[in-house]
């Protein structure tokens, strides 16, 4: 899928060391899509699912040294930014639909640039990953598992746009079981900055399409 036509001109800080930018994505009806940059203590910048943005805006953050994709459908502006900055693109092994070859691949549990760790979270697609950064605050980058419309509870993407919506819910439950979720960053919608685990649990509890199984 080609990149959106619009280009961001600035980023905003989510929490110290993590920045975000957003564009109206013409490929999906003008819905806002989000991208992120992780800035390490040494000034190295790792881009996550990057959207089009000016070079000046990224140069203001530091040295762009890596680009990490959470899924094949999130390549967005990765290839043009690789050309601009000479930064290698990391993509999931066997990611579907990539328009160019990544410089490196990863799979479940791998350590990635920017202090990120990869967790396989299928559902929207078979090859889709959540990225986790432990410090200085525990942050998860959820890819397409959930969206967040400004305020309120995150919601699951309509089932018609997912490979296996029940598995999506299972992936969210597994995140809650294994990761200390504080900050949640979405591919579509504003991040949740405090007690992200509670927001994910609320999304599961309010899910009427695939409600959680009843306990004994």
């Amino acid at each position: 899928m080609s990149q959106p036509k619009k280009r961001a001109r600035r980023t905003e800080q989510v929490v110290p060391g993590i920045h975000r930018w957003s564009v109206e994505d013409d490929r999906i009806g003008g819905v806002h899509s989000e991208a992120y940059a992780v800035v390490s203590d040494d000034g190295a910048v790792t881009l996550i699912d990057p959207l089009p943005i000016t070079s000046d805006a990224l140069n203001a953050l530091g040295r762009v040294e890596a680009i990490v994709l959470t899924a094949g459908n999130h390549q967005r502006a990765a290839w043009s930014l690789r050309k601009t900055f000479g930064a290698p693109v990391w993509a999931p092994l066997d990611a579907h639909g990539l328009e160019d070859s990544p410089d490196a691949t990863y799979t479940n549990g791998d350590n990635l640039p920017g202090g990120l760790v990869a967790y396989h979270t299928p559902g929207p697609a078979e090859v889709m990953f959540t990225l986790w950064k432990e410090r200085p605050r525990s942050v998860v980058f959820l890819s397409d598992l959930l969206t967040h419309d400004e305020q309120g509870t995150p919601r699951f993407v309509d089932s018609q746009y997912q490979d296996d919506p029940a598995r999506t819910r299972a992936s969210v439950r597994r995140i809650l079981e294994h990761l200390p979720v504080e900050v949640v960053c979405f591919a579509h919608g504003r991040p949740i900055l405090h007690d992200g685990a509670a927001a994910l649990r609320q999304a599961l509890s309010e899910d009427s399409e695939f409600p959680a199984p009843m306990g004994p």
Side-chain angles (χ1 to χ4, degrees), residues 8 20 32 53 62 83 106 118 131 133 150 162 169 206:
R20 159 185 173 265
H32 274 268
I53 186 171
K83 183 177 181 180
Y106 69 85
L131 305 179
K133 183 170 174 60
E150 297 301 327
Q162 301 188 52
R169 278 73 173 173
E206 294 181 8

Side-chain angles (χ1 to χ4, degrees), residues 1 27 70-76 96 98 125 127-128 143-144:
M1 182 182 289
R27 305 169 305 162
T70 59
N73 65 316
H74 278 191
Q75 57 195 319
R76 298 169 164 182
H96 176 72
L98 294 177
V127 183
M128 179 163 285
S143 196
D144 282 337

